[in-house]
Short mmCIF file of all heavy atoms in Angstrom, two decimals:
data_model
loop_
_atom_site.label_atom_id
_atom_site.label_comp_id
_atom_site.label_asym_id
_atom_site.label_seq_id
_atom_site.Cartn_x
_atom_site.Cartn_y
_atom_site.Cartn_z
N MET A 228 -5.22 -18.28 3.82
CA MET A 228 -4.33 -17.70 4.83
C MET A 228 -4.97 -16.46 5.43
O MET A 228 -5.58 -15.65 4.75
CB MET A 228 -2.99 -17.31 4.20
CG MET A 228 -2.24 -18.53 3.64
SD MET A 228 -0.71 -18.06 2.84
CE MET A 228 0.25 -17.50 4.27
N THR A 229 -4.79 -16.34 6.70
CA THR A 229 -5.39 -15.20 7.38
C THR A 229 -4.32 -14.32 8.01
O THR A 229 -3.45 -14.81 8.73
CB THR A 229 -6.36 -15.67 8.48
OG1 THR A 229 -7.34 -16.51 7.91
CG2 THR A 229 -7.02 -14.48 9.14
N PHE A 230 -4.37 -13.06 7.72
CA PHE A 230 -3.42 -12.13 8.30
C PHE A 230 -4.13 -11.25 9.33
O PHE A 230 -5.24 -10.81 9.11
CB PHE A 230 -2.80 -11.25 7.23
CG PHE A 230 -2.10 -12.04 6.17
CD1 PHE A 230 -2.70 -12.24 4.95
CD2 PHE A 230 -0.86 -12.60 6.41
CE1 PHE A 230 -2.07 -12.98 3.96
CE2 PHE A 230 -0.22 -13.34 5.44
CZ PHE A 230 -0.82 -13.53 4.21
N SER A 231 -3.45 -11.02 10.41
CA SER A 231 -4.06 -10.18 11.43
C SER A 231 -3.08 -9.09 11.84
O SER A 231 -1.89 -9.32 11.98
CB SER A 231 -4.44 -11.03 12.65
OG SER A 231 -3.30 -11.65 13.18
N CYS A 232 -3.63 -7.92 12.03
CA CYS A 232 -2.81 -6.79 12.42
C CYS A 232 -2.43 -6.90 13.90
O CYS A 232 -3.28 -7.10 14.75
CB CYS A 232 -3.58 -5.50 12.17
SG CYS A 232 -2.69 -4.02 12.66
N LYS A 233 -1.15 -6.79 14.17
CA LYS A 233 -0.67 -6.91 15.54
C LYS A 233 -0.47 -5.55 16.21
O LYS A 233 -0.09 -5.46 17.36
CB LYS A 233 0.64 -7.68 15.57
CG LYS A 233 0.52 -9.09 15.01
CD LYS A 233 1.87 -9.76 14.97
CE LYS A 233 1.74 -11.15 14.34
NZ LYS A 233 3.06 -11.81 14.22
N GLY A 234 -0.65 -4.50 15.41
CA GLY A 234 -0.51 -3.17 15.96
C GLY A 234 0.89 -2.60 15.85
O GLY A 234 1.15 -1.48 16.27
N ILE A 235 1.79 -3.39 15.27
CA ILE A 235 3.16 -2.91 15.13
C ILE A 235 3.24 -1.82 14.07
O ILE A 235 4.05 -0.91 14.14
CB ILE A 235 4.10 -4.07 14.74
CG1 ILE A 235 3.94 -5.22 15.72
CG2 ILE A 235 5.55 -3.60 14.70
CD1 ILE A 235 4.69 -6.47 15.32
N CYS A 236 2.36 -1.94 13.10
CA CYS A 236 2.39 -1.01 11.97
C CYS A 236 2.14 0.42 12.43
O CYS A 236 2.50 1.37 11.75
CB CYS A 236 1.34 -1.42 10.95
SG CYS A 236 -0.33 -1.52 11.65
N ASP A 237 1.54 0.56 13.56
CA ASP A 237 1.24 1.89 14.06
C ASP A 237 2.52 2.69 14.28
O ASP A 237 2.56 3.90 14.11
CB ASP A 237 0.46 1.77 15.38
CG ASP A 237 -0.17 3.09 15.76
OD1 ASP A 237 -0.63 3.80 14.85
OD2 ASP A 237 -0.17 3.42 16.95
N ALA A 238 3.58 1.99 14.64
CA ALA A 238 4.86 2.65 14.87
C ALA A 238 5.66 2.74 13.57
O ALA A 238 6.57 3.53 13.46
CB ALA A 238 5.65 1.88 15.92
N LEU A 239 5.29 1.91 12.61
CA LEU A 239 6.03 1.87 11.35
C LEU A 239 5.46 2.82 10.33
O LEU A 239 6.09 3.11 9.32
CB LEU A 239 6.00 0.45 10.78
CG LEU A 239 6.69 -0.61 11.62
CD1 LEU A 239 6.44 -1.99 11.03
CD2 LEU A 239 8.19 -0.34 11.71
N GLU A 240 4.28 3.27 10.60
CA GLU A 240 3.61 4.10 9.62
C GLU A 240 4.38 5.39 9.36
O GLU A 240 4.91 6.01 10.28
CB GLU A 240 2.19 4.44 10.07
CG GLU A 240 1.41 5.15 8.99
CD GLU A 240 -0.04 5.33 9.41
OE1 GLU A 240 -0.35 5.13 10.60
OE2 GLU A 240 -0.85 5.66 8.55
N ILE A 241 4.41 5.75 8.12
CA ILE A 241 5.19 6.92 7.73
C ILE A 241 4.25 8.10 7.49
O ILE A 241 3.22 7.97 6.86
CB ILE A 241 5.98 6.62 6.45
CG1 ILE A 241 6.87 5.41 6.69
CG2 ILE A 241 6.80 7.82 6.04
CD1 ILE A 241 7.38 4.82 5.41
N GLU A 242 4.67 9.20 7.99
CA GLU A 242 3.86 10.39 7.82
C GLU A 242 4.64 11.46 7.08
O GLU A 242 5.82 11.33 6.81
CB GLU A 242 3.44 10.93 9.19
CG GLU A 242 2.56 9.94 9.94
CD GLU A 242 2.16 10.52 11.29
OE1 GLU A 242 2.53 11.66 11.57
OE2 GLU A 242 1.50 9.80 12.04
N SER A 243 3.97 12.50 6.78
CA SER A 243 4.55 13.68 6.14
C SER A 243 5.20 13.35 4.80
O SER A 243 6.20 13.92 4.43
CB SER A 243 5.58 14.34 7.06
OG SER A 243 6.72 13.53 7.17
N VAL A 244 4.65 12.37 4.13
CA VAL A 244 5.11 12.08 2.78
C VAL A 244 3.89 11.99 1.89
O VAL A 244 2.94 11.28 2.21
CB VAL A 244 5.89 10.75 2.71
CG1 VAL A 244 6.32 10.45 1.29
CG2 VAL A 244 7.08 10.79 3.65
N SER A 245 3.94 12.69 0.81
CA SER A 245 2.79 12.69 -0.07
C SER A 245 2.58 11.31 -0.68
O SER A 245 3.52 10.53 -0.83
CB SER A 245 2.97 13.72 -1.18
OG SER A 245 4.04 13.34 -2.00
N THR A 246 1.36 11.02 -1.00
CA THR A 246 1.03 9.69 -1.50
C THR A 246 1.79 9.35 -2.77
O THR A 246 2.21 8.23 -2.98
CB THR A 246 -0.48 9.61 -1.79
OG1 THR A 246 -1.18 9.98 -0.62
CG2 THR A 246 -0.87 8.20 -2.18
N ALA A 247 1.99 10.35 -3.60
CA ALA A 247 2.67 10.10 -4.87
C ALA A 247 4.12 9.74 -4.67
O ALA A 247 4.71 9.01 -5.46
CB ALA A 247 2.55 11.33 -5.75
N LEU A 248 4.72 10.24 -3.61
CA LEU A 248 6.14 10.02 -3.39
C LEU A 248 6.41 8.79 -2.53
O LEU A 248 7.54 8.36 -2.41
CB LEU A 248 6.77 11.24 -2.71
CG LEU A 248 6.76 12.52 -3.55
CD1 LEU A 248 7.29 13.68 -2.73
CD2 LEU A 248 7.60 12.34 -4.81
N ARG A 249 5.38 8.26 -1.96
CA ARG A 249 5.59 7.15 -1.03
C ARG A 249 6.14 5.92 -1.71
O ARG A 249 7.06 5.28 -1.23
CB ARG A 249 4.26 6.83 -0.34
CG ARG A 249 4.01 7.78 0.80
CD ARG A 249 2.70 7.49 1.48
NE ARG A 249 2.62 8.26 2.72
CZ ARG A 249 1.56 8.37 3.47
NH1 ARG A 249 0.44 7.76 3.11
NH2 ARG A 249 1.56 9.07 4.57
N TYR A 250 5.57 5.57 -2.83
CA TYR A 250 6.05 4.39 -3.52
C TYR A 250 7.46 4.60 -4.07
O TYR A 250 8.28 3.71 -4.08
CB TYR A 250 5.11 4.03 -4.66
CG TYR A 250 3.78 3.49 -4.18
CD1 TYR A 250 2.63 4.25 -4.26
CD2 TYR A 250 3.69 2.20 -3.65
CE1 TYR A 250 1.42 3.76 -3.83
CE2 TYR A 250 2.48 1.70 -3.22
CZ TYR A 250 1.34 2.49 -3.31
OH TYR A 250 0.15 2.00 -2.87
N GLU A 251 7.71 5.81 -4.52
CA GLU A 251 9.01 6.10 -5.12
C GLU A 251 10.12 6.08 -4.09
O GLU A 251 11.26 5.78 -4.39
CB GLU A 251 8.96 7.48 -5.79
CG GLU A 251 8.00 7.50 -6.98
CD GLU A 251 7.99 8.87 -7.62
OE1 GLU A 251 8.73 9.75 -7.15
OE2 GLU A 251 7.22 9.06 -8.57
N SER A 252 9.80 6.42 -2.87
CA SER A 252 10.81 6.48 -1.82
C SER A 252 10.93 5.16 -1.07
O SER A 252 11.52 5.10 -0.01
CB SER A 252 10.48 7.61 -0.85
OG SER A 252 9.16 7.48 -0.38
N GLY A 253 10.37 4.11 -1.63
CA GLY A 253 10.56 2.79 -1.06
C GLY A 253 9.51 2.39 -0.04
O GLY A 253 9.65 1.40 0.65
N HIS A 254 8.50 3.17 0.05
CA HIS A 254 7.44 2.83 1.00
C HIS A 254 6.47 1.85 0.36
O HIS A 254 6.20 1.90 -0.83
CB HIS A 254 6.69 4.08 1.43
CG HIS A 254 7.61 5.10 2.05
ND1 HIS A 254 7.26 6.41 2.23
CD2 HIS A 254 8.87 4.97 2.50
CE1 HIS A 254 8.28 7.05 2.77
NE2 HIS A 254 9.26 6.22 2.95
N LYS A 255 5.95 0.99 1.18
CA LYS A 255 5.03 -0.02 0.67
C LYS A 255 3.73 0.02 1.43
O LYS A 255 3.69 0.33 2.61
CB LYS A 255 5.68 -1.41 0.77
CG LYS A 255 6.94 -1.49 -0.06
CD LYS A 255 7.61 -2.83 0.12
CE LYS A 255 8.92 -2.86 -0.68
NZ LYS A 255 9.63 -4.13 -0.50
N ARG A 256 2.72 -0.35 0.74
CA ARG A 256 1.39 -0.25 1.29
C ARG A 256 0.89 -1.60 1.77
O ARG A 256 0.95 -2.58 1.05
CB ARG A 256 0.44 0.28 0.21
CG ARG A 256 -1.01 0.28 0.60
CD ARG A 256 -1.32 1.43 1.52
NE ARG A 256 -2.77 1.56 1.74
CZ ARG A 256 -3.32 2.44 2.56
NH1 ARG A 256 -2.56 3.30 3.21
NH2 ARG A 256 -4.62 2.52 2.72
N CYS A 257 0.44 -1.62 2.99
CA CYS A 257 -0.19 -2.83 3.50
C CYS A 257 -1.70 -2.63 3.46
O CYS A 257 -2.23 -1.73 4.11
CB CYS A 257 0.27 -3.13 4.93
SG CYS A 257 -0.56 -4.58 5.61
N THR A 258 -2.33 -3.46 2.68
CA THR A 258 -3.77 -3.30 2.54
C THR A 258 -4.51 -3.82 3.77
O THR A 258 -5.64 -3.45 4.02
CB THR A 258 -4.27 -4.05 1.30
OG1 THR A 258 -3.85 -5.40 1.37
CG2 THR A 258 -3.70 -3.41 0.04
N MET A 259 -3.85 -4.67 4.50
CA MET A 259 -4.48 -5.22 5.70
C MET A 259 -4.50 -4.20 6.83
O MET A 259 -5.49 -4.03 7.53
CB MET A 259 -3.76 -6.48 6.16
CG MET A 259 -3.88 -7.64 5.19
SD MET A 259 -5.58 -8.19 5.00
CE MET A 259 -5.93 -8.70 6.68
N CYS A 260 -3.37 -3.54 6.99
CA CYS A 260 -3.25 -2.57 8.07
C CYS A 260 -3.65 -1.16 7.62
O CYS A 260 -3.81 -0.27 8.44
CB CYS A 260 -1.82 -2.54 8.59
SG CYS A 260 -1.24 -4.15 9.18
N SER A 261 -3.72 -0.99 6.31
CA SER A 261 -4.05 0.32 5.74
C SER A 261 -3.02 1.37 6.14
O SER A 261 -3.36 2.48 6.52
CB SER A 261 -5.45 0.76 6.19
OG SER A 261 -6.40 -0.18 5.75
N VAL A 262 -1.76 0.99 6.07
CA VAL A 262 -0.70 1.92 6.40
C VAL A 262 0.43 1.81 5.38
O VAL A 262 0.56 0.80 4.68
CB VAL A 262 -0.12 1.66 7.81
CG1 VAL A 262 -1.16 1.91 8.88
CG2 VAL A 262 0.43 0.25 7.91
N PHE A 263 1.25 2.83 5.34
CA PHE A 263 2.46 2.78 4.54
C PHE A 263 3.63 2.47 5.46
O PHE A 263 3.82 3.10 6.49
CB PHE A 263 2.70 4.12 3.85
CG PHE A 263 1.92 4.26 2.57
CD1 PHE A 263 0.68 4.86 2.57
CD2 PHE A 263 2.43 3.78 1.38
CE1 PHE A 263 -0.05 5.00 1.40
CE2 PHE A 263 1.73 3.91 0.20
CZ PHE A 263 0.48 4.52 0.21
N VAL A 264 4.42 1.48 5.08
CA VAL A 264 5.58 1.13 5.88
C VAL A 264 6.82 1.14 4.98
O VAL A 264 6.73 0.93 3.77
CB VAL A 264 5.43 -0.26 6.53
CG1 VAL A 264 4.29 -0.26 7.53
CG2 VAL A 264 5.23 -1.33 5.47
N LYS A 265 7.94 1.38 5.58
CA LYS A 265 9.18 1.35 4.82
C LYS A 265 9.99 0.13 5.22
O LYS A 265 10.49 0.03 6.33
CB LYS A 265 10.00 2.63 5.09
CG LYS A 265 11.19 2.74 4.14
CD LYS A 265 11.86 4.09 4.31
CE LYS A 265 12.98 4.25 3.27
NZ LYS A 265 13.64 5.54 3.38
N THR A 266 10.06 -0.81 4.30
CA THR A 266 10.78 -2.04 4.57
C THR A 266 11.29 -2.63 3.28
O THR A 266 10.73 -2.37 2.21
CB THR A 266 9.88 -3.06 5.28
OG1 THR A 266 10.58 -4.28 5.44
CG2 THR A 266 8.61 -3.33 4.48
N SER A 267 12.33 -3.40 3.36
CA SER A 267 12.89 -4.03 2.17
C SER A 267 12.27 -5.39 1.93
O SER A 267 12.53 -6.04 0.94
CB SER A 267 14.41 -4.17 2.32
OG SER A 267 14.72 -4.93 3.46
N LYS A 268 11.44 -5.80 2.87
CA LYS A 268 10.81 -7.11 2.75
C LYS A 268 9.54 -7.01 1.91
O LYS A 268 8.97 -5.94 1.74
CB LYS A 268 10.48 -7.65 4.13
CG LYS A 268 11.73 -7.89 4.96
CD LYS A 268 11.34 -8.44 6.32
CE LYS A 268 12.60 -8.67 7.17
NZ LYS A 268 12.25 -9.20 8.50
N LEU A 269 9.14 -8.15 1.43
CA LEU A 269 7.94 -8.18 0.60
C LEU A 269 6.68 -8.22 1.45
O LEU A 269 5.60 -7.89 0.98
CB LEU A 269 7.96 -9.41 -0.31
CG LEU A 269 9.08 -9.42 -1.36
CD1 LEU A 269 9.03 -10.73 -2.13
CD2 LEU A 269 8.94 -8.25 -2.30
N GLY A 270 6.85 -8.66 2.68
CA GLY A 270 5.69 -8.79 3.54
C GLY A 270 5.63 -7.72 4.61
O GLY A 270 6.65 -7.13 4.98
N CYS A 271 4.46 -7.49 5.11
CA CYS A 271 4.29 -6.51 6.17
C CYS A 271 4.92 -7.03 7.46
O CYS A 271 4.66 -8.17 7.85
CB CYS A 271 2.80 -6.26 6.38
SG CYS A 271 2.43 -5.15 7.75
N PRO A 272 5.77 -6.24 8.09
CA PRO A 272 6.40 -6.64 9.35
C PRO A 272 5.40 -6.79 10.47
O PRO A 272 5.72 -7.33 11.53
CB PRO A 272 7.40 -5.51 9.63
CG PRO A 272 6.89 -4.35 8.85
CD PRO A 272 6.17 -4.90 7.67
N CYS A 273 4.23 -6.30 10.25
CA CYS A 273 3.20 -6.37 11.28
C CYS A 273 2.32 -7.60 11.12
O CYS A 273 2.28 -8.46 11.98
CB CYS A 273 2.36 -5.10 11.23
SG CYS A 273 0.96 -5.12 12.36
N CYS A 274 1.65 -7.68 10.00
CA CYS A 274 0.69 -8.76 9.83
C CYS A 274 1.20 -9.86 8.90
O CYS A 274 0.67 -10.97 8.90
CB CYS A 274 -0.63 -8.21 9.29
SG CYS A 274 -0.47 -7.51 7.65
N GLY A 275 2.23 -9.56 8.13
CA GLY A 275 2.80 -10.58 7.26
C GLY A 275 2.17 -10.65 5.88
O GLY A 275 2.56 -11.45 5.05
N ALA A 276 1.20 -9.80 5.65
CA ALA A 276 0.55 -9.77 4.35
C ALA A 276 1.49 -9.18 3.30
O ALA A 276 2.40 -8.42 3.62
CB ALA A 276 -0.73 -8.96 4.42
N ARG A 277 1.27 -9.56 2.09
CA ARG A 277 2.13 -9.07 1.03
C ARG A 277 1.87 -7.58 0.80
O ARG A 277 0.73 -7.14 0.70
CB ARG A 277 1.86 -9.83 -0.26
CG ARG A 277 2.85 -9.49 -1.36
CD ARG A 277 2.69 -10.43 -2.52
NE ARG A 277 3.67 -10.15 -3.58
CZ ARG A 277 3.77 -10.86 -4.68
NH1 ARG A 277 2.97 -11.88 -4.88
NH2 ARG A 277 4.67 -10.57 -5.58
N LEU A 278 2.97 -6.85 0.68
CA LEU A 278 2.86 -5.41 0.53
C LEU A 278 2.73 -5.02 -0.93
O LEU A 278 3.29 -5.65 -1.81
CB LEU A 278 4.09 -4.74 1.13
CG LEU A 278 4.25 -4.91 2.64
CD1 LEU A 278 5.62 -4.41 3.07
CD2 LEU A 278 3.17 -4.19 3.40
N ARG A 279 2.02 -3.97 -1.13
CA ARG A 279 1.87 -3.43 -2.47
C ARG A 279 2.95 -2.38 -2.70
O ARG A 279 3.11 -1.46 -1.91
CB ARG A 279 0.49 -2.81 -2.63
CG ARG A 279 0.21 -2.31 -4.02
CD ARG A 279 -1.17 -1.74 -4.11
NE ARG A 279 -2.17 -2.78 -3.88
CZ ARG A 279 -3.48 -2.53 -3.82
NH1 ARG A 279 -3.91 -1.30 -3.93
NH2 ARG A 279 -4.33 -3.50 -3.65
N THR A 280 3.67 -2.55 -3.79
CA THR A 280 4.82 -1.67 -4.02
C THR A 280 4.54 -0.62 -5.07
O THR A 280 5.23 0.37 -5.16
CB THR A 280 6.04 -2.49 -4.48
OG1 THR A 280 5.66 -3.27 -5.61
CG2 THR A 280 6.47 -3.43 -3.36
N LYS A 281 3.56 -0.86 -5.87
CA LYS A 281 3.29 0.11 -6.93
C LYS A 281 1.83 0.52 -6.89
O LYS A 281 0.95 -0.27 -6.60
CB LYS A 281 3.62 -0.48 -8.29
CG LYS A 281 5.10 -0.75 -8.46
CD LYS A 281 5.35 -1.32 -9.84
CE LYS A 281 6.83 -1.61 -10.03
NZ LYS A 281 7.09 -2.21 -11.36
N SER A 282 1.65 1.76 -7.22
CA SER A 282 0.28 2.25 -7.26
C SER A 282 -0.38 1.83 -8.56
O SER A 282 0.26 1.71 -9.60
CB SER A 282 0.26 3.77 -7.14
OG SER A 282 0.98 4.33 -8.20
N ARG A 283 -1.62 1.59 -8.47
CA ARG A 283 -2.35 1.18 -9.66
C ARG A 283 -2.50 2.35 -10.63
O ARG A 283 -2.71 3.49 -10.22
CB ARG A 283 -3.74 0.68 -9.28
CG ARG A 283 -3.72 -0.71 -8.66
CD ARG A 283 -5.15 -1.17 -8.43
NE ARG A 283 -5.18 -2.53 -7.87
CZ ARG A 283 -6.32 -3.16 -7.60
NH1 ARG A 283 -7.47 -2.56 -7.80
NH2 ARG A 283 -6.28 -4.38 -7.11
N ASN A 284 -2.43 2.02 -11.87
CA ASN A 284 -2.69 3.04 -12.88
C ASN A 284 -4.19 3.28 -12.97
O ASN A 284 -4.98 2.35 -13.02
CB ASN A 284 -2.17 2.59 -14.24
CG ASN A 284 -0.65 2.49 -14.23
OD1 ASN A 284 0.02 3.22 -13.50
ND2 ASN A 284 -0.12 1.58 -15.03
N LYS A 285 -4.48 4.52 -12.98
CA LYS A 285 -5.89 4.86 -13.04
C LYS A 285 -6.43 4.59 -14.44
O LYS A 285 -5.95 5.15 -15.43
CB LYS A 285 -6.09 6.32 -12.67
CG LYS A 285 -5.81 6.59 -11.21
CD LYS A 285 -6.09 8.05 -10.88
CE LYS A 285 -5.81 8.31 -9.40
NZ LYS A 285 -6.05 9.73 -9.06
N ARG A 286 -7.37 3.74 -14.48
CA ARG A 286 -7.98 3.44 -15.76
C ARG A 286 -9.16 4.38 -15.99
O ARG A 286 -10.08 4.45 -15.17
CB ARG A 286 -8.47 2.00 -15.81
CG ARG A 286 -7.33 0.99 -15.78
CD ARG A 286 -7.87 -0.42 -15.87
NE ARG A 286 -6.80 -1.42 -15.84
CZ ARG A 286 -7.01 -2.72 -15.90
NH1 ARG A 286 -8.25 -3.16 -15.97
NH2 ARG A 286 -6.01 -3.58 -15.86
N SER A 287 -9.08 5.02 -17.07
CA SER A 287 -10.18 5.94 -17.39
C SER A 287 -11.33 5.15 -18.00
O SER A 287 -11.20 4.59 -19.09
CB SER A 287 -9.69 7.00 -18.37
OG SER A 287 -9.19 6.39 -19.53
N ARG A 288 -12.37 5.12 -17.28
CA ARG A 288 -13.52 4.38 -17.77
C ARG A 288 -14.29 5.21 -18.80
O ARG A 288 -14.63 6.36 -18.54
CB ARG A 288 -14.44 4.01 -16.62
CG ARG A 288 -13.82 2.97 -15.70
CD ARG A 288 -14.81 2.59 -14.62
NE ARG A 288 -14.24 1.59 -13.72
CZ ARG A 288 -14.90 1.10 -12.67
NH1 ARG A 288 -16.12 1.51 -12.42
NH2 ARG A 288 -14.34 0.19 -11.90
N LYS A 289 -14.53 4.57 -19.88
CA LYS A 289 -15.31 5.25 -20.91
C LYS A 289 -16.78 4.85 -20.78
O LYS A 289 -17.11 3.68 -20.74
CB LYS A 289 -14.80 4.88 -22.31
CG LYS A 289 -13.39 5.38 -22.57
CD LYS A 289 -12.95 4.99 -23.97
CE LYS A 289 -11.53 5.49 -24.23
NZ LYS A 289 -11.07 5.07 -25.57
N LYS A 290 -17.56 5.84 -20.72
CA LYS A 290 -18.98 5.56 -20.60
C LYS A 290 -19.59 5.34 -21.99
O LYS A 290 -19.71 6.27 -22.78
CB LYS A 290 -19.70 6.72 -19.90
CG LYS A 290 -19.28 6.83 -18.44
CD LYS A 290 -20.03 7.96 -17.76
CE LYS A 290 -19.61 8.07 -16.30
NZ LYS A 290 -20.30 9.17 -15.62
N ASN A 291 -19.91 4.11 -22.21
CA ASN A 291 -20.49 3.79 -23.50
C ASN A 291 -21.99 3.54 -23.40
O ASN A 291 -22.59 2.91 -24.25
CB ASN A 291 -19.83 2.55 -24.09
CG ASN A 291 -18.36 2.82 -24.43
OD1 ASN A 291 -18.02 3.94 -24.78
ND2 ASN A 291 -17.55 1.80 -24.31
N ILE A 292 -22.50 4.00 -22.31
CA ILE A 292 -23.93 3.81 -22.12
C ILE A 292 -24.71 4.79 -23.00
O ILE A 292 -24.52 6.00 -22.90
CB ILE A 292 -24.31 4.05 -20.66
CG1 ILE A 292 -23.51 3.09 -19.76
CG2 ILE A 292 -25.82 3.83 -20.47
CD1 ILE A 292 -23.70 3.34 -18.30
N PRO A 293 -25.51 4.28 -23.87
CA PRO A 293 -26.30 5.11 -24.78
C PRO A 293 -27.38 5.90 -24.06
O PRO A 293 -27.91 5.42 -23.07
CB PRO A 293 -26.95 4.11 -25.76
CG PRO A 293 -26.99 2.84 -24.98
CD PRO A 293 -25.76 2.85 -24.08
ZN1 ZN B 100 -0.71 -3.83 11.31
ZN1 ZN B 101 0.16 -5.20 7.72
#
C-alpha cells in the first residue's frame, strides 16, 4: 500500500506543544507526513497512513564491545 501526503496535514499540524505532551494530549504522529495531528481516528486524515499513538521507549544500548 502506498500513502501519499495531500498537504492537508499542514493545516492539521499542532504547534506550541512539547513533544512529551503531544501523545498524552491525544495527538498522533504521522510518519508519512512527519507531523503531529489531533484526531480520534487511527489513520492520518491527510495520507491515510496509520498514526503512531505512543512514543517509543528509549532503549539504552549497552556497549559490550571489548
Ligand atoms: Zn500529509
Ligand atoms: Zn499523513
Side-chain angles (χ1 to χ4, degrees):
M228 297 178 68
T229 303
F230 302 102
S231 59
C232 178
K233 300 176 183 177
I235 307 173
C236 56
D237 194 38
L239 296 173
E240 188 174 13
I241 303 164
E242 297 180 3
S243 70
V244 179
S245 66
T246 305
L248 295 175
R249 279 179 169 171
Y250 289 107
E251 294 180 2
S252 53
H254 302 164
K255 298 176 183 178
R256 173 77 171 177
C257 178
T258 54
M259 293 297 298
C260 302
S261 300
V262 295
F263 277 93
V264 295
K265 189 173 185 179
T266 176
S267 58
K268 296 180 180 180
L269 295 176
C271 176
C273 175
C274 65
R277 188 171 182 177
L278 296 170
R279 184 179 295 176
T280 54
K281 294 181 180 178
S282 60
R283 284 185 178 181
N284 293 331
K285 291 183 179 179
R286 293 182 180 179
S287 58
R288 291 183 180 179
K289 295 180 180 178
K290 293 182 180 179
N291 294 328
I292 302 174

